[in-house]
Amino acid sequence: MFKALILSQVEGKTHAEVRHLNVSDLPEGEVLVDVAYSSLNYKDGLAVTGTGKIIRSFPMVPGIDFAGTVAESADARFKAGDPVILTGWGVGERYWGGFAQKARVKADWLVPMPAGLDAKQAMIIGTAGFTAMLCVMALEEAGVTPDSGKVVVTGAAGGVGSVSVLLLAQLGYHVVAVSGRPETQDFLTTLGAKEFMTREEMSRPAHPLESQNWAGAVDVVGGSTLARVLAEMQYGGTVAACGLAGGFELNTTVMPFILRNVSLRGVDSVSCPQERRVKVWERLAAAMPPSAYAELGCAIALEEVPQAAKDILAGRIQGRMLVNLNL
């Protein structure tokens, strides 16, 4: 038997409970994985608390990512003992996910662990770091270089934001970090941010065009913050948008696009093609400095996930929250 966090609905409300399951309880799939680590992401917070309509069917094991070792495989691409990573594909939303000591999944969803990473490091990176690298690559592919000008990162103290700050700084960009928590300034400076701005400064209503401040942007907030970021982009600048922590609506104008040639790139990590996934993980393994893992991540046990889910939605977590399935 093994431990798993099970979500159920009780009188229309989501209830989270750690239970013991048998392997026979797991859904179908070609690969059985012994899960070592998962991570707590904003979407997990929505799922576990029932705040967002993330879970459509119950019971459900949440956890949108995990890393571990193959226990059994009916697919020739994997064999027992192979270290693997899973992010996306609706796992932890439509399919049972990583908040369990074992998971059975489709082989197509797995990525081999790249050289230089272990399961713990991979989940300190996790879906948030994977998404952050997708954002960085979107800026690079749009021609935004360190010489182009400043790059702003909104929601910088959270999972995607903090790894974005770190990666961009490692690549030589001048990073301006935006956070609603002034107490995170030292943390963000340690990750490589050159300047710090408050959420209030970046969420004020914007004119159709503002001063040209940013060559690039990684936005995980959406709403009025993204509208202001767009209005402040330099000519030819690019915004990589991947989140909606501040709202899903976008009230803006066409002015930045038709007068400053600004591009808005959507970044999705759930259905990212497999070939690109492998490249992203290889880049992450090469780009992450060893010291970053201690700076970014702290670990909790499975039993602590329900409270941590409330904390992440309340903005009380900085960096990455690791779930150790062996605690």
Side-chain angles (χ1 to χ4, degrees):
M1 299 185 75
F2 62 94
K3 290 194 302 182
L5 183 70
I6 302 292
L7 300 184
S8 57
Q9 272 204 325
V10 180
E11 297 180 351
K13 294 184 178 181
T14 300
H15 177 71
E17 180 185 14
V18 175
R19 300 181 194 167
H20 284 86
L21 302 178
N22 292 303
V23 172
S24 59
D25 295 321
L26 292 170
E28 294 182 357
E30 299 89 10
V31 184
L32 177 67
V33 179
D34 290 326
V35 179
Y37 292 92
S38 183
S39 70
L40 184 70
N41 298 275
Y42 191 83
K43 188 180 286 186
D44 296 315
L46 294 172
V48 173
T49 62
T51 304
K53 294 181 179 180
I54 303 298
I55 307 301
R56 301 293 183 178
S57 63
F58 296 87
M60 176 62 64
V61 175
I64 65 172
D65 53 24
F66 64 77
T69 304
V70 172
E72 301 173 5
S73 176
D75 188 284
R77 288 170 290 178
F78 300 98
K79 64 182 186 302
D82 286 347
V84 291
I85 305 170
L86 187 146
T87 63
W89 301 116
V91 170
E93 302 175 66
R94 299 190 301 275
Y95 311 101
W96 282 21
F99 291 169
Q101 293 176 315
K102 293 184 183 292
R104 188 155 48 205
V105 296
K106 293 183 179 181
D108 287 344
W109 297 343
L110 295 170
V111 174
M113 185 76 67
L117 280 187
D118 59 26
K120 182 177 181 179
Q121 292 169 329
M123 282 300 101
I124 291 175
I125 296 170
T127 296
F130 180 78
T131 305
M133 180 57 86
L134 284 172
C135 290
V136 171
M137 291 169 65
L139 296 184
E140 291 176 334
E141 291 159 2
V144 180
T145 70
D147 293 331
S148 301
K150 297 178 180 180
V151 175
V152 65
V153 178
T154 66
V160 177
S162 60
V163 183
S164 295
V165 169
L166 174 70
L167 293 172
L168 288 164
Q170 287 289 310
L171 292 167
Y173 290 87
H174 183 113
V175 182
V176 179
V178 180
S179 174
R181 292 175 282 166
E183 67 273 15
T184 64
Q185 183 170 356
D186 289 344
F187 166 66
L188 293 167
T189 301
T190 300
L191 295 181
K194 299 293 186 184
E195 299 179 49
F196 180 87
M197 294 179 63
T198 65
R199 177 191 300 156
E200 288 72 23
E201 292 177 87
M202 285 301 295
S203 61
R204 297 193 309 269
H207 294 105
L209 292 174
E210 297 280 352
S211 299
Q212 299 185 48
N213 295 328
W214 321 118
V218 174
D219 177 67
V220 302
V221 177
S224 59
T225 296
L226 177 54
R228 174 160 284 276
V229 167
L230 287 167
E232 293 185 1
M233 294 303 294
Q234 292 177 196
Y235 187 91
T238 296
V239 180
C242 64
L244 42 66
F248 61 83
E249 293 185 350
L250 178 59
N251 297 312
T252 187
T253 74
V254 299
M255 296 301 189
F257 307 106
I258 65 174
L259 296 182
R260 291 185 180 167
N261 199 35
V262 169
S263 297
L264 177 59
R265 285 282 302 270
V267 174
D268 164 63
S269 64
V270 174
S271 302
C272 178
Q274 187 72 355
E275 182 179 351
R276 189 166 178 84
R277 285 176 184 272
V278 172
K279 291 180 180 178
V280 170
W281 279 107
E282 288 174 348
R283 282 206 62 184
L284 283 163
M288 293 287 287
S291 61
Y293 297 108
E295 293 165 357
L296 280 171
C298 61
I300 60 172
L302 188 61
E303 290 79 3
E304 298 175 89
V305 168
Q307 180 57 51
K310 297 176 183 177
D311 291 339
I312 198 170
L313 296 187
R316 292 192 289 265
I317 292 175
Q318 68 178 28
R320 299 282 294 131
M321 182 65 74
L322 195 65
V323 181
N324 185 343
L325 276 305
N326 294 313
L327 289 178

